[in-house]
Amino acid sequence: MTGGYLKGRIRREDILAAAVTVYGEVGYHGSSLREIAKRAGITHAGLLYHFPNKESLLAAVLERRDALDAAREQLQARPGLEVLRRYLALAEHNVGNPGIVDLYSRLAAEAVAEDHPAHEYFVRHYRMARAGVLESFRAMADSGELREGVDPEVAALTFIALMDGLQVQWLTTPDEVDLVGSLEFYLRSLLTVGL
Amino acid sequence: MTGGYLKGRIRREDILAAAVTVYGEVGYHGSSLREIAKRAGITHAGLLYHFPNKESLLAAVLERRDALDAAREQLQARPGLEVLRRYLALAEHNVGNPGIVDLYSRLAAEAVAEDHPAHEYFVRHYRMARAGVLESFRAMADSGELREGVDPEVAALTFIALMDGLQVQWLTTPDEVDLVGSLEFYLRSLLTVGL
DNA sequence: CCTACCGATCGGTAGG
DNA sequence: CCTACCGATCGGTAGG
């Protein structure tokens, strides 16, 4: 028999995809292994064969999300305008994938609790996001692309916060929120150059 | 026997306060009537004597929050700078009451789902918040207090979104986020007048 | 407001 | 990867 490993990897992918959907719908705490397993076409005991417990499945989902984001948008570009452009591209991609936004918003709110299994992940996630954007704003300040009086530190924090806040409002009332346009508006108000 | 009604009202208050705490900690779906009841000093069946089911308790919590906010901050002031100042005061108040911020952030993320019992509440809540701030930005645009090129519509949406996004990040890493200062920074970037 | 109970569902394990 | 099971917990009701 060949392909045993391949089959295992495919099955794991099915489970992860189902978990992403369910987490987005009902959050991590609201999810059940039985529901996720059913959507992946196995029993919940079968799921536990691939992931030893509920938390390990969440960890795998978060790891995969980071890997996919990094590969697609390359948010680690050279600091500067290009990094901000890639965040806009990420927002644009998200508009076509509300499920991903759902997942992220729900988990971020849950993970505020210090004993939530994803808490440390989001602490790191926010720190890295702020640091990356901060570097870019600093570089742009040095080259005169940042409006006078704009503190790069605060600009970085508010940019990330605005993205998150817009996403929740967009999910709640999709027809009344222009996700990408609002971010562009904000960036233009900070910069001396166009996007 | 006198005071029976008073006692009932006090007991209801105890239950509502306990519910606010628990919703903030674990969200609505993650909460249990037994846990809320225990903190209020009764059994879960006793709780159901005051609130017929789980959803009615949530509805009462949301009603009370609106009533308290309206009474304290009077966010319905005459459109203009004063309204924005009261939002800053609300943010300041929230910094001293993380439990309230917890409750709001958790429920807002959960209620993105259309079948969540608080969904309609948040649709209304966002619409009203945006409309109130929009009116103020429009009034300020008429009197030259809004920077040129700033669309009042987008400014209103982004201001509310920024508040929400900052709250989640502040709850996650309290020492690394200046909630009030960041909002002031943003408002200053939109206005021609000081706060 | 409580005791006592209901059916349903949960995460996880045993054993194959 | 499944069947079968465990103890725990859930929202809600009956009956007082």
Side-chain angles (χ1 to χ4, degrees):
Chain A
M1 286 291 274
T2 62
Y5 284 155
L6 177 62
K7 196 149 69 175
R9 238 176 298 140
I10 290 174
R11 190 37 61 91
R12 281 176 62 98
E13 279 302 311
D14 290 346
I15 296 171
L16 289 174
V20 166
T21 307
V22 174
Y23 291 167
E25 285 175 10
V26 298
Y28 168 70
H29 280 132
S31 74
S32 77
L33 297 179
R34 282 169 171 85
E35 177 62 28
I36 294 168
K38 197 206 290 179
R39 300 203 195 189
I42 57 174
T43 65
H44 94 282
L47 189 160
L48 288 167
Y49 168 79
H50 293 280
F51 299 93
N53 55 43
K54 199 182 179 187
E55 280 195 27
S56 68
L57 177 58
L58 173 60
V61 164
L62 294 175
E63 265 173 47
R64 200 183 68 136
R65 196 203 126 95
D66 273 358
L68 289 179
D69 270 11
R72 185 174 352 88
E73 307 295 348
Q74 305 207 356
L75 295 175
Q76 270 80 2
R78 192 163 54 82
L81 186 56
E82 184 57 25
V83 168
L84 302 181
R85 282 210 199 93
R86 292 191 183 180
Y87 269 95
L88 288 178
L90 178 59
E92 204 135 18
H93 175 262
N94 285 347
V95 169
N97 295 269
I100 291 177
V101 183
D102 248 324
L103 165 71
Y104 176 85
S105 304
R106 300 270 330 218
L107 286 186
E110 273 190 347
V112 154
E114 276 182 45
D115 60 351
H116 192 283
H119 181 73
E120 283 310 312
Y121 169 85
F122 275 99
V123 169
R124 271 197 313 275
H125 175 88
Y126 281 132
R127 275 198 193 127
M128 282 175 50
R130 286 196 299 255
V133 176
L134 171 58
E135 247 197 308
S136 291
F137 277 132
R138 278 204 182 124
M140 296 182 75
D142 290 344
S143 56
E145 293 169 301
L146 201 61
R147 234 185 259 285
E148 222 173 314
V150 172
D151 177 357
E153 199 104 28
V154 185
L157 169 63
T158 52
F159 179 66
I160 302 295
L162 182 59
M163 273 196 84
D164 293 346
L166 282 171
Q167 286 177 346
V168 173
Q169 231 170 130
W170 170 68
L171 287 171
T172 306
T173 54
D175 300 337
E176 303 170 28
V177 174
D178 178 358
L179 197 58
V180 179
S182 302
L183 284 173
E184 287 173 347
F185 159 82
Y186 183 51
L187 284 182
R188 265 195 292 270
S189 80
L190 296 178
L191 307 181
T192 61
V193 295
L195 295 167
Chain B
M1 285 293 275
T2 63
Y5 285 154
L6 178 61
K7 197 149 74 177
R9 238 177 296 140
I10 290 175
R11 189 38 61 90
R12 280 175 62 99
E13 279 301 312
D14 290 346
I15 296 171
L16 289 174
V20 166
T21 307
V22 174
Y23 291 167
E25 287 175 8
V26 299
Y28 168 71
H29 280 132
S31 74
S32 76
L33 297 179
R34 281 170 172 85
E35 176 63 27
I36 294 168
K38 197 206 293 178
R39 300 203 195 190
I42 56 174
T43 65
H44 95 282
L47 188 159
L48 288 167
Y49 168 78
H50 293 281
F51 299 92
N53 55 46
K54 198 182 179 186
E55 280 195 26
S56 69
L57 177 57
L58 173 61
V61 163
L62 294 175
E63 264 174 46
R64 199 183 69 136
R65 195 203 127 97
D66 273 359
L68 289 179
D69 271 12
R72 187 176 347 90
E73 307 294 348
Q74 307 206 356
L75 295 175
Q76 270 79 5
R78 192 163 53 81
L81 186 56
E82 185 56 26
V83 168
L84 302 181
R85 282 210 199 94
R86 292 190 183 180
Y87 269 95
L88 288 179
L90 178 60
E92 205 135 16
H93 175 262
N94 284 348
V95 169
N97 296 268
I100 291 177
V101 184
D102 248 322
L103 166 72
Y104 176 85
S105 305
R106 300 270 330 219
L107 287 186
E110 275 190 348
V112 154
E114 275 181 46
D115 59 351
H116 191 283
H119 181 73
E120 283 310 313
Y121 169 86
F122 275 99
V123 169
R124 273 198 312 275
H125 175 88
Y126 282 132
R127 275 196 194 131
M128 283 175 51
R130 286 195 299 256
V133 176
L134 171 59
E135 248 196 307
S136 290
F137 277 131
R138 277 203 182 126
M140 296 182 75
D142 290 345
S143 56
E145 294 169 300
L146 200 62
R147 234 185 259 283
E148 222 173 313
V150 171
D151 177 356
E153 199 104 29
V154 185
L157 168 63
T158 53
F159 179 65
I160 303 294
L162 181 59
M163 273 196 85
D164 293 347
L166 282 172
Q167 285 177 346
V168 173
Q169 231 170 128
W170 170 68
L171 287 171
T172 306
T173 55
D175 300 336
E176 303 170 28
V177 174
D178 178 358
L179 197 58
V180 180
S182 302
L183 284 173
E184 286 173 347
F185 159 83
Y186 182 52
L187 283 182
R188 265 196 292 270
S189 80
L190 295 177
L191 307 181
T192 60
V193 295
L195 296 167

